[in-house]
Amino acid sequence: MAGARDPVQEFHLKLAALYRAAGEPTHDLLNRRTKVSDSTLNDWLTGKAVPSNRTSLDTLVGVLKGLAGAGCPRDPVGGWETLRAAAAKSRRPGQRPGGGGRRPARQMLGPVPAVADCYQDRPETAQLEAAAAGGTAVLGQLLVGMGGVGKTQLAARYARTAYDERRVEVLVWVTAASRQAITAAYAGAAAQILGTDPADPQAAALFRDWLRLPPGERGGGPAPGARWLIVLDDVPDPGAMRGLWPPDVAHGRSVVTTRNRDAAFHTSGRRRIDIGLYTPDQASAYLTAKLAQHGRTDDPDQIAGLAGDMGHLPLALSQAIPFLINRKLDCAAYRRRLADRAKTLTHVLPPEGGLPDEQRRTVAAAWEMSIELADHQPPQGLARPLLHLIALLDPNGIPAPVLNNAPVLAHLATHRSTGAHAPAPENGAAVDPDDADDALANLAQFSLLSHTSDTPHQAVRIHQLIQRAVREPLPGDYRDRCTRTAADALIAAWPAIERDTSLAQALRANTTALTHTGEDALYRPGAHFVLLRAGASLGESGQAVAARDHYQHLAATSRQHLGPDHPDTLAIRSNLASRLGEAGDAAGAATAFA
């Protein structure tokens, strides 16, 4: 630290280091073991006061050393008492440590993002504000959601408002991509506030000690304490925060954004706020406002349609606008490009150099990190190949049994990831249903999909743009194999006798989605049985007209892919003839049979 520390400062820093080494025990635990009141312990540990006699100090230090064990900091014989006496002597009776110091200058530290153009107020903003108000304020808040839903923007708006309205004197924004990044940001804040050397190994710890100081209290450094807000943006996992959580003190607030739903984040001192998509009205209002900035108006129905095509995802909507404007497209023309299966997301969204609002990642790149993290969780290497199958099925709901049956397990064993970020056993190692369930849980943990048992036949839901970002880069041959594997999985989950109409409906919806994403592969080498099973299911459910239409489509596509005389084409034509009769077209059925 720059300059010599005063005795009070030395005493507090040393006691704080011992308290950390002891695992930061609760005041209740210390009160039971030391018989010292909670308020007095708080004063000692925050630097408001020093023990008045050696006996009190020896009791506290003894308890903390016992809890710290081998991690206890070394100190010379008599060092604690010497330091205590010097600290007690260094100030006048009744004076708090550094009580005469001025409050620190207001400071905004770190790369706080600007609030995006056409920012949309959302209910989550009100939840953030409500949690920070009143005597029962929540000290730590978690904004949790998938990449692209606007967690960073919500946090930035809240942080800038709190700072501008002078609710806090110190705002620290941490881009928390790793533990090292968090430690470096804390060290940088210590350098700005306390004058420490940012290379000092203790700089991050000194900053956390300073955060404990009440506003106006000198100690822990040349600057007094202050009301503060720390935002930790995009924390990858709870381990990155071990020993680095901002302290729970009345004058401090923290906001953490993360896509990781790990329960370890959620302690009694932190409130979780789930961040979802825009509502349809919010998405349409955003697009309308952004177009108006460029002097453009458009058909409200087309604007609403584009919002729906983008799945009401804030990041995708913001990136669609510059592409649309630069190419002088209206919403209808842009939607046609978006729907064109020959065009990938890279053909309809701007490259990294053209992203709006200082964004650093394209839509696809925003999810790649989540996929890497999910794939790295045990059982390693299974989340990514499972996601390849999910990307081909119905985004509105996939029955859980479709994702852990024999065809899926064989796929996971064969295509297990082995990248540097997901070390895994050799491909072909056995995979059991529990492994598949855990891989699915890993994908849900990192907000790539939702998985709930409340609706078992629509247990897995996923955003349509995540599906597209996942499947579009897949090599053609591998994607075809995934398509047929997904079809095999649907058949494996399809009961011979359909007693559950909701399950049958979900399986048919997934077959339709699979046909949309990979119809060609379903006719190589022949027509996959799932195509016929879906038609039979429609007939069995009494939907004669829908079954007829289904087989008419199959007959046309089978002739196209396999030829008119292929056995599968003939089998489909036979089924079509039957369905024509059931739909009331007796003449058509007779002609078809003939």
Side-chain angles (χ1 to χ4, degrees), residues 47-228:
K48 287 183 180 180
V50 294
S52 59
N53 58 67
R54 180 171 186 166
T55 302
S56 299
L57 176 63
D58 285 347
T59 301
L60 176 61
V61 169
V63 170
L64 292 176
K65 283 185 173 181
L67 293 171
C72 177
R74 296 182 179 180
D75 56 273
V77 176
W80 278 107
E81 171 54 20
T82 300
L83 195 56
R84 185 204 67 79
K89 187 178 179 180
S90 70
R91 66 178 194 272
R92 298 184 300 277
Q95 180 188 14
R96 291 174 179 263
R102 62 178 177 80
R103 296 171 71 85
R106 282 163 42 82
Q107 297 191 64
M108 182 185 291
L109 307 176
V112 185
V115 177
D117 282 341
C118 305
Y119 178 87
Q120 297 295 302
D121 281 322
R122 304 165 73 176
E124 293 88 347
T125 304
Q127 292 181 51
L128 270 170
E129 295 290 349
T136 58
V138 178
L139 303 179
Q141 301 188 77
L142 294 164
L143 305 185
V144 184
M146 77 176 187
V149 293
K151 302 182 296 297
T152 296
Q153 272 299 308
L154 282 166
R157 173 66 175 266
Y158 169 72
R160 286 187 173 274
T161 300
Y163 187 79
D164 292 344
E165 294 180 354
R166 297 181 178 272
R167 286 183 257 155
V168 297
E169 286 86 42
V170 175
L171 167 60
V172 181
W173 186 280
V174 180
T175 302
S178 67
R179 182 175 180 81
Q180 293 74 20
I182 299 168
T183 302
Y186 281 9
Q192 292 291 320
I193 296 171
L194 304 174
T196 63
D197 180 352
D200 184 345
Q202 295 300 313
L206 291 172
F207 174 64
R208 290 187 71 238
D209 291 341
W210 176 82
L211 294 175
R212 297 180 184 280
L213 296 179
E217 296 293 350
R218 189 174 296 281
R227 294 175 301 168
W228 50 262

